Amino acid sequence: MASVTAASVQQGFTPAEEKILAKVLWRIVPFLLLCYIVAYLDRVNVGIASLTMNGDLGISPSAFGWSAGLFFFGYFLAEVPSNLALQAIGARKWIARILITWGLISAATAFVVGPVSFGAMRFLLGLGEAGFTPGVFLYFTYWFPARIRGTATAAFLLGIPIANIIGAPISSSLLTLDGLGGLHGWQWLLILEGLPATLLGVVCFFTLTDKPEQAKWLSPDERRWLVEVLAAEREAIASKHPSRLRDAFVNWRVLACAAVNFCAIIGSVGLGLWMPQIIKGLGFGVVTVGFIAAIPYICGAIAMMLWARLSDKGGERSWFVASGLLVGAASLIVCGYATSSALVSIVALCGAVIGIMCYQSTFWPIPSSFLTGSAAAGGLAMIVSIGNLGGFVGPYLIGVIKQSTDSFSWALISVAAFLGLAAILIRLVGASLQRQAGTADGRTVPIAPLSKGI
């Protein structure tokens, strides 16, 4: 096998190399995708639960937005420490701990008695789940060369639309269990959708492999090639960007990416939590709302995979990210002005979800292209943690504007403005990376040939 160095750059992978990467992807991503489906479902199922829970507990629109958004304060506080713990302890043990913790807390949310206890459980759920998403992004840097990391990330992030596609109909159907065993339907919803995370945590402990060096399911030559490729890639990044933890916290690109993620999550989480009530306001029944809410995410799932593949094949990646954000912003504006037409509103909601999904599938390879080592662990966690504060601002902003105007119109237009700002910021980052030769979107990476016989 030829020695791998930062200078050994090729334009693509050979069929044998593609086969190895496909083996790694199919071994790692499907299980983490399943975990993310459960994670996102447990994060946003309160949107469906609120259709009946708010009335039972006397929670106003602004109080619901505030309490639901407290999840992201807990997430913010624990994100960076959690990612550093994953780097020190290993993904297998730490992700298992995260899954078990949030599953138990999510199920326990079924027993809240008012807005205060609901807010407290949402905060604890954020603490419990903190570190899962940035931990997976960090984990991917251990396994996937940058040139295919966009596809792997998009496959993982399919959990968002899938959770909404299957979650909305299932969750709305679980509301019909009202009265069973003396519990409300929304209580059954939270219990039955929370416990699977705990079971997956146990499976995770016996399923994940921390690093390629430990992968007994790869042959010695396959392990050696993958380890050397990834090591050479880290060397190339470290030669142009600092890799110490403290460097990540003063890197303006990291701060800009955090601001982009903050603005985008205002749209993503705000829309996700309030979409059931937006659709219900168009005149649909509770169960029908769940099925209609799945439609935008079916469209988003298809679009995000196609967009990620186009992004991986060529072109400056920040343009793909900005385009998705602008599509989302334009769609929200249309939805805000078309509240009298159910059909136009639903089509616009589809456009908004498509734009946000395309953003999510193409954004994360950008910070991974200039972060490595401890800077990657801290930087990725900081981008997620600061960004996730948008998960508080989005629901609360929509709730306050809805309560003061008795309409979702201005709320959606306000969220669109944040998506537009995010598009501008990511282009500034992309232009800066373009000027620094050999970085940008992670395509000029060191790839060595496999030894003969593989």
Side-chain angles (χ1 to χ4, degrees):
M1 180 180 296
S3 176
V4 184
T5 67
S8 58
V9 179
Q10 295 181 358
Q11 293 303 311
F13 299 108
T14 68
E17 294 162 355
E18 292 278 7
K19 186 177 179 181
I20 295 172
L21 295 172
K23 182 190 292 188
V24 173
L25 190 145
W26 282 103
R27 173 76 183 210
I28 291 175
V29 174
F31 175 72
L32 292 175
L33 167 62
L34 178 60
C35 293
Y36 196 48
I37 291 171
V38 174
Y40 206 80
L41 185 60
D42 287 344
R43 184 185 302 184
V44 302
N45 58 9
V46 293
I48 293 292
S50 70
L51 297 176
T52 57
M53 178 185 71
N54 287 6
D56 290 338
L57 300 182
I59 301 176
S60 68
S62 60
F64 173 74
W66 172 274
S67 298
L70 285 175
F71 168 92
F72 296 99
F73 272 107
Y75 214 93
F76 170 77
L77 292 174
E79 199 83 290
V80 173
S82 180
N83 232 30
L84 295 175
L86 183 146
Q87 187 183 41
I89 296 172
R92 180 175 64 91
K93 294 178 181 178
W94 194 250
I95 291 178
R97 193 284 305 163
I98 292 173
L99 286 160
I100 292 169
T101 303
W102 101 55
L104 294 175
I105 295 172
S106 182
T109 305
F111 302 102
V112 300
V113 295
V116 174
S117 57
F118 175 58
M121 292 305 294
R122 289 292 293 179
F123 177 78
L124 290 176
L125 183 61
L127 288 178
E129 192 188 317
F132 177 71
T133 303
V136 170
F137 293 149
L138 178 63
Y139 186 62
F140 281 176
T141 68
Y142 300 160
W143 286 93
F144 298 108
R147 252 185 270 169
I148 69 158
R149 204 173 295 145
T151 298
T153 301
F156 168 69
L157 290 175
L158 275 174
I160 297 175
I162 291 175
N164 285 279
I165 291 167
I166 66 173
I170 292 174
S171 296
S172 60
S173 298
L174 289 174
L175 291 178
T176 63
L177 296 178
D178 193 63
L180 180 65
L183 297 177
H184 295 290
W186 59 266
Q187 291 178 299
W188 281 114
L189 183 164
L190 294 171
I191 293 170
L192 295 177
E193 293 182 352
L195 293 180
T198 299
L199 297 176
L200 284 172
V202 177
V203 175
C204 176
F205 187 82
F206 297 100
T207 300
L208 285 191
T209 304
D210 284 333
K211 293 186 178 181
E213 296 91 327
Q214 305 164 351
K216 296 179 179 179
W217 40 272
L218 291 175
S219 72
D221 278 341
E222 290 171 338
R223 283 199 301 270
R224 191 178 307 115
W225 176 79
L226 185 58
V227 167
E228 291 190 6
V229 165
L230 292 165
E233 179 176 284
R234 287 191 290 270
E235 176 189 332
I237 295 174
S239 68
K240 297 181 175 65
H241 302 281
S243 58
R244 297 170 301 178
L245 176 62
R246 66 181 183 182
D247 295 319
F249 298 142
V250 295
N251 187 325
W252 77 267
R253 294 189 187 101
V254 172
L255 298 175
C257 285
V260 170
N261 200 33
F262 173 83
C263 293
I265 289 180
I266 286 176
S268 175
V269 177
L271 183 60
L273 283 175
W274 283 100
M275 189 184 295
Q277 296 198 41
I278 293 172
I279 296 172
K280 185 181 180 183
L282 297 174
F284 296 99
V286 171
V287 175
T288 305
V289 165
F291 286 91
I292 293 177
I295 296 173
Y297 291 97
I298 294 173
C299 300
I302 297 170
M304 73 183 292
M305 290 305 299
L306 294 174
W307 203 238
R309 287 184 176 274
L310 287 173
S311 172
D312 275 348
K313 286 181 178 179
E316 207 284 298
R317 203 184 294 269
S318 68
W319 280 112
F320 288 88
V321 180
S323 298
L325 290 165
L326 291 175
V327 168
S331 299
L332 286 175
I333 292 172
V334 171
C335 188
Y337 278 110
T339 52
S340 60
S341 171
L343 178 60
V344 174
S345 294
I346 292 170
V347 171
L349 287 173
C350 289
V353 173
I354 286 172
I356 292 169
M357 292 291 98
C358 287
Y359 151 78
Q360 290 173 328
S361 68
T362 52
F363 169 73
W364 289 105
I366 293 179
S368 296
S369 72
F370 62 84
L371 292 171
T372 189
S374 294
L380 289 172
M382 188 168 76
I383 291 170
V384 174
S385 63
I386 292 177
N388 270 311
L389 288 178
F392 168 77
V393 174
Y396 183 59
L397 175 69
I398 292 175
V400 168
I401 297 176
K402 166 67 168 61
Q403 188 166 315
S404 61
T405 65
D406 198 29
S407 169
F408 282 107
S409 296
W410 281 108
L412 296 176
I413 293 169
S414 299
V415 170
F418 282 98
L419 296 185
L421 175 59
I424 296 171
L425 290 174
I426 195 60
R427 275 300 300 136
L428 292 176
V429 174
S432 170
L433 289 172
Q434 277 187 300
R435 289 193 296 268
Q436 189 167 5
T439 59
D441 40 327
R443 294 193 177 87
T444 54
V445 295
I447 304 296
L450 283 165
S451 61
K452 293 181 180 179
I454 294 181

